[in-house]
Amino acid sequence: MKILVCITNVPDTTAKITFTDNDTKLNKNGVQYIIGPYDDYALARGVELKEQSGGTLTVLHVGEADADPQIRKALAIGADDAIRVNADPLDSYFVATQIAHIASQNNYDLILMGRESIDYNSGVVHGLVGEMLGIPSYSPVMKLDIDGGTATISREIDGGKEILKAPLPLVLGCQEPISEWKIPNMRGIMTARTKPLNVTEPVSVETMTVPEKYSLPAPKGACKMIPAGEAEMLIRLLQTEAKVL
């Protein structure tokens, strides 16, 4: 089985975020980057499936050279080789087009990625890739098993969970608890240095969206403590200040 795992390179969740160029670009100075957490789940399950089936696992990232350390980490965790499309990931459509182009040339049986990135949180790339390739896509996938050419999938839906079977090939957006994050061991780190990381140029595609301006969320307000016996005061404040009643 040939598996493709697509990963993102995103700011650490503890990073302090600021913007430059009149709030139109992220200020990358001093920002620590990580593999997208949802992509980490996809990678972990991909490694497990590769070990079970004796197949191959390729990691794909659309981004610039500053993402190479995260790609090497994915190789250390268990990927066999990696591809980086050398381009700024401008928007979801652009990224999906690059993934679909690579996938169409290599006939992967299974394409895994996180259900969404944690920077833009669009959650649409897996669906776009599936449409471009003409194969089914499902998200968010919480459990995945492969038997021969059939996948058994458990995913969240409104009001509950859905278990379904689907033939390969598939595109899946993953989330916990599909697997547990894997930490590379020393042997993996050493072997990752010699595994192939192929850099390719992007295919031409029209950019569908352009950010006009970024802004930070409003700071949290002060917390008011209300005495336990002052229910009327609490209701009044919820009506007049919080405006939730």
Side-chain angles (χ1 to χ4, degrees):
M1 181 167 60
K2 293 180 64 175
I3 303 171
L4 179 68
V5 177
C6 307
I7 63 172
T8 54
N9 182 47
V10 298
D12 192 300
T13 53
T14 62
K16 183 177 180 181
I17 301 300
T18 59
F19 304 108
T20 62
D21 295 353
N22 197 28
D23 293 336
T24 60
K25 292 183 179 179
L26 171 68
N27 181 7
K28 296 183 177 182
N29 291 332
V31 175
Q32 178 70 35
Y33 280 79
I34 60 173
I35 297 173
Y38 294 116
D39 304 321
D40 245 340
Y41 288 117
L43 176 61
R45 188 59 183 141
V47 170
E48 293 167 352
L49 292 171
K50 183 199 80 164
E51 292 172 348
Q52 292 170 13
S53 69
T56 61
L57 190 156
T58 298
V59 167
L60 171 62
H61 173 68
V62 180
E64 298 173 321
D66 58 356
D68 285 356
Q70 277 61 254
I71 298 174
R72 288 293 177 190
K73 179 182 177 182
L75 291 169
I77 288 172
D80 298 300
D81 64 309
I83 301 170
R84 178 170 62 82
V85 179
N86 188 34
D88 186 9
L90 301 173
D91 68 359
S92 297
Y93 187 80
F94 177 86
V95 171
T97 301
Q98 309 309 319
I99 295 172
H101 176 71
I102 296 294
S104 66
Q105 295 180 322
N106 292 277
N107 297 317
Y108 295 104
D109 300 296
L110 185 62
I111 301 173
L112 302 177
M113 62 188 74
R115 74 173 195 185
E116 63 184 7
S117 64
I118 64 165
D119 47 6
Y120 289 97
N121 301 94
S122 68
V124 299
V125 171
H126 37 73
L128 289 171
V129 172
E131 178 66 22
M132 291 173 181
L133 294 175
I135 61 177
S137 65
Y138 299 96
S139 182
V141 176
M142 303 170 63
K143 185 177 180 181
L144 171 64
D145 293 301
I146 306 293
D147 184 7
T150 302
T152 302
I153 298 163
S154 175
R155 64 172 183 160
E156 288 186 336
I157 59 173
D158 289 342
K161 294 181 181 179
E162 177 183 54
I163 297 176
L164 54 88
K165 292 182 181 291
L168 302 178
L170 293 171
V171 181
L172 304 179
C174 305
Q175 70 167 57
E176 75 282 5
I178 192 170
S179 187
E180 294 184 359
W181 290 339
K182 297 185 182 299
I183 299 174
N185 56 33
M186 184 56 66
R187 182 175 182 275
I189 294 170
M190 297 299 291
T191 58
R193 297 177 180 177
T194 58
K195 290 181 178 179
L197 197 174
N198 301 306
V199 179
T200 184
E201 294 305 311
V203 295
S204 179
V205 59
E206 180 183 359
T207 302
M208 305 296 285
T209 58
V210 178
E212 292 187 351
K213 192 170 186 177
Y214 295 108
S215 62
L216 295 173
K220 293 182 179 180
C223 179
K224 287 188 176 182
M225 303 299 293
I226 308 299
E230 298 289 345
E232 292 184 359
M233 179 186 297
L234 174 61
I235 293 172
R236 177 172 55 80
L237 291 174
L238 290 173
Q239 290 174 331
T240 59
E241 293 191 13
K243 300 185 186 300
V244 296
L245 295 179

